[in-house]
Amino acid sequence: MSQIEKLAPPRHIAIIMDGNGRWAKKRGLPRTAGHKAGAEAFRRTANYCRTLGVEYLTVYAFSTENWRRSEEEVGGIMKLLAAYLKEALRDMQKNHVRFRFFGDLSRLSPDLQKLCLEAQEKSSEFDEVQVNFCLNYGGRDEIVRAVRRYAADVLAGKCDADALTEDMFSLYLDSAGVPDPELVIRPSGELRTSNFLPWQTVYSEFVYMNVLWPDFGPEDLDSAIEEYHRRNRRFGGV
Ligand code: IPE
Ligand code: IPE
Ligand code: MG
């Protein structure tokens, strides 16, 4: 058993799955081939997280800004997502992954929305690992949608605006009920969050890695977890 398996993994790991395009470019392949390889990396990583006993894995799959890409690329990503969800529904009894979706799903195609809902409903009883898929997700958009729902509750007399606390507000977010991630990993070498989980990551440890997402393997997750264990988390204390 390696050293890392003896260290408790964080309960919640979040990953910005970045670098698919550069991976494809390096090989002279279309960007969509990079996304396909990225989907494989996701399967690998989710399985490994389950083996390690990680409770929550949150993955950034498509941002509110990613619509700026070509129709061809966006269409290719949506097709891969639909294929993955169909496969997940088929293998549900074997994999026992519980699915949740963060983001504004209303902009996705009706077919994809249906697959998301079905995956969420049919997996709700599994208790091994929960995968939170961020689809058409933007952190600012999530907060604005939460504020809208909260304002509607205030107007309906269901709650008192003066009594709002951070814990209460977090229940209006897509991540309601999910503990904050202890560790956020961004492969691809970019040093930014790109609108990922701004509310939930105020005290997360960020590990930026030079590997491109399609090449990401268990050994990379191990090294991110090792790095996490080297950090001194103070939460504002001493
Ligand atoms: C991440 O890889 C996948 C999505 C954002 C959907 P990219 O497609 O951003 O890959 P790079 O950053 O261009 O290499
Ligand atoms: C962040 O990656 C979004 C996802 C991985 C889904 P991007 O490639 O879109 O981020 P930027 O444009 O480099 O900031
Ligand atoms: Mg990118």
Side-chain angles (χ1 to χ4, degrees):
M1 191 187 271
S2 75
Q3 182 71 24
I4 188 67
E5 278 166 317
K6 289 178 209 147
L7 293 170
R11 272 185 91 187
H12 184 174
I13 297 177
I15 305 181
I16 301 174
M17 304 190 291
D18 195 20
N20 298 349
R22 276 162 281 177
W23 183 92
K25 191 169 182 201
K26 256 172 58 180
R27 288 164 177 74
L29 296 169
R31 293 182 62 84
T32 315
H35 296 311
K36 203 165 169 211
E40 272 311 310
F42 165 72
R43 285 185 184 87
R44 232 176 11 246
T45 306
N47 278 333
Y48 190 53
C49 281
R50 197 181 43 175
T51 313
L52 290 179
V54 172
E55 288 177 57
Y56 301 90
L57 172 66
T58 301
V59 288
Y60 206 3
F62 193 85
S63 77
T64 45
E65 287 74 41
N66 287 147
W67 298 104
R68 292 179 187 153
R69 301 183 179 202
S70 74
E71 221 169 283
E72 190 194 348
E73 181 171 354
V74 171
I77 293 171
M78 295 299 159
K79 249 168 97 176
L80 280 166
L81 285 167
Y84 173 75
L85 290 173
K86 280 182 193 154
E87 172 195 304
L89 280 159
R90 189 192 64 209
D91 299 340
M92 203 152 258
Q93 293 305 329
K94 193 173 80 198
N95 292 336
H96 285 204
V97 171
R98 187 170 66 243
F99 288 100
R100 277 263 301 261
F101 295 86
F102 295 177
D104 180 3
L105 299 189
S106 70
R107 213 180 145 186
L108 306 179
S109 75
D111 283 352
L112 195 52
Q113 289 184 45
K114 232 173 96 195
L115 283 169
C116 293
L117 282 183
E118 205 181 332
Q120 189 157 299
E121 275 163 19
K122 291 197 170 152
S123 68
S124 63
E125 300 300 319
F126 295 133
D127 58 6
E128 281 173 38
V129 60
Q130 174 168 319
V131 170
N132 305 310
F133 250 109
C134 300
L135 280 189
N136 189 28
Y137 175 87
R140 288 186 172 181
D141 179 68
E142 177 190 30
I143 292 170
V144 169
R145 285 184 290 103
V147 169
R148 284 202 199 115
R149 284 194 288 265
Y150 173 69
D153 278 356
V154 171
L155 287 173
K158 289 189 198 159
C159 48
D160 175 3
D162 292 334
L164 185 66
T165 64
E166 291 180 7
D167 284 345
M168 278 160 65
F169 183 70
S170 69
L171 296 176
Y172 287 87
L173 295 168
D174 298 338
S175 58
V178 176
D180 291 341
E182 289 91 350
L183 169 63
V184 179
I185 302 170
R186 182 166 194 161
S188 93
E190 306 297 351
L191 307 178
R192 54 177 169 266
T193 66
S194 303
N195 208 2
F196 189 47
L197 304 175
W199 176 279
Q200 298 87 346
T201 58
V202 288
Y203 271 107
S204 302
E205 295 299 329
F206 283 78
V207 174
Y208 293 96
M209 305 177 83
N210 273 323
V211 58
L212 299 171
W213 174 247
D215 291 326
F216 193 94
E219 64 290 352
D220 297 300
L221 194 71
D222 285 347
S223 77
I225 293 173
E226 281 171 33
E227 171 61 23
Y228 167 78
H229 281 287
R230 282 192 290 271
R231 303 276 175 93
N232 181 2
R233 305 187 79 201
R234 284 184 294 272
F235 302 99
V238 286

